[in-house]
Amino acid sequence: DAGVIQSPRHEVTEMGQEVTLRCKPISGHNSLFWYRQTMMRGLELLIYFNNNVPIDDSGMPEDRFSAKMPNASFSTLKIQPSEPRDSAVYFCASSFSQTQETQYFGPGTRLLVL
Amino acid sequence: SQKIEQNSEALNIQEGKTATLTCNYTNYSPAYLQWYRQDPGRGPVFLLLIRENEKEKRKERLKVTFDTTLKQSLFHITASQPADSATYLCALEGAAGNKLTFGGGTRVLVKP
């Protein structure tokens, strides 16, 4: 298996622009997680899905952030409009929630908002 | 409020020695605790999981203990090697099933 796939790997954008991050989980995994990592705040859970349904979005910073999972093999995290404080590394992770709790992380998307 | 604390200072250790990292938590009653390794520019990688009814877990040169009374986990790397240099994160199961909350991580630097 190729593991969790994220795109793009790097994104540089200007304040106010829309940013869309993409994730393909490991085939067969039914839970998907979006995290944000910064030096100041560490690794924070933004939202997670189980069987394509959002279960907990309490970590989503504000209405500028939205996430979707239209099917079991694809998820997006959108920031609109983006702000410089959104600059961080965004990770997607997946797990098979029925039998194992470990999460498999993608390589991350490094976002810089100017 | 819930809190997970790891030593934010880097741990410098000589090759061959044992590195010991701590993970303390408050206001949690986790069913399990996990340790992950993160290398620069990469996502965290799962290492070990220990359940609340287990005192100790081993995997090759790694050993994890879990004391639910002290609310603490210790992570040991025995016979450390320069390749063990990385940041190590502990993670606790949250209130909602498989949701994890991560500590801030401890950076380990093994010198040859």
Side-chain angles (χ1 to χ4, degrees):
Chain A
D1 200 315
V4 175
I5 299 172
Q6 290 186 248
S7 64
R9 292 294 310 277
H10 302 273
E11 177 83 26
V12 180
T13 191
E14 292 189 345
M15 184 174 65
Q17 295 298 305
E18 177 179 295
V19 174
T20 299
L21 311 182
R22 296 173 177 79
C23 175
K24 176 177 167 53
I26 292 173
S27 176
H29 283 188
N30 59 353
S31 291
L32 183 140
F33 307 81
W34 281 102
Y35 291 89
R36 178 173 67 176
Q37 188 173 40
T38 61
M39 288 293 293
M40 290 297 295
R41 300 175 66 92
L43 192 62
E44 303 175 282
L45 178 67
L46 300 177
I47 184 171
Y48 86 93
F49 296 83
N50 198 41
N51 294 321
N52 312 338
V53 176
I55 302 299
D56 186 341
D57 66 354
S58 59
M60 295 287 259
E62 48 199 90
D63 292 346
R64 297 184 298 106
F65 286 69
S66 63
K68 293 182 180 179
M69 191 163 186
N71 57 62
S73 58
F74 183 67
S75 177
T76 59
L77 178 68
K78 186 175 293 186
I79 309 173
Q80 166 63 15
S82 58
E83 297 183 4
R85 60 191 167 126
D86 301 331
S87 298
V89 181
Y90 290 80
F91 289 103
C92 175
S94 70
S95 73
F96 183 50
S97 60
Q98 303 304 317
T99 61
Q100 63 184 50
E101 302 87 350
T102 60
Q103 296 183 14
Y104 296 82
F105 283 76
T109 295
R110 186 173 295 273
L111 173 66
L112 177 61
V113 183
L114 303 174
Chain B
S1 62
Q2 295 179 322
K3 194 180 289 186
I4 303 171
E5 292 183 334
Q6 295 186 254
N7 193 341
S8 59
E9 289 186 19
L11 178 64
N12 292 301
I13 191 164
Q14 202 67 36
E15 182 177 8
K17 301 293 186 182
T18 297
T20 298
L21 286 65
T22 60
C23 176
N24 296 299
Y25 59 93
T26 54
N27 296 322
Y28 274 96
S29 296
Y32 56 84
L33 183 149
Q34 301 183 26
W35 284 88
Y36 287 76
R37 168 184 173 141
Q38 186 173 23
D39 291 284
R42 294 178 177 266
V45 175
F46 170 77
L47 295 175
L48 281 165
L49 180 152
I50 186 165
R51 300 188 186 279
E52 59 178 338
N53 60 348
E54 297 175 315
K55 296 291 187 189
E56 182 179 297
K57 203 80 167 282
R58 292 177 184 262
K59 178 183 176 183
E60 298 173 353
R61 295 182 294 108
L62 307 179
K63 185 178 86 171
V64 172
T65 62
F66 192 12
D67 189 324
T68 55
T69 302
L70 292 179
K71 295 187 182 297
Q72 180 182 77
S73 175
L74 298 179
F75 178 83
H76 307 272
I77 308 172
T78 59
S80 59
Q81 302 169 0
D84 296 326
S85 299
T87 296
Y88 293 86
L89 303 157
C90 70
L92 274 68
E93 168 227 15
N98 58 346
K99 172 181 172 180
L100 290 178
T101 302
F102 283 81
T106 299
R107 194 159 71 94
V108 173
L109 179 60
V110 181
K111 298 180 179 179

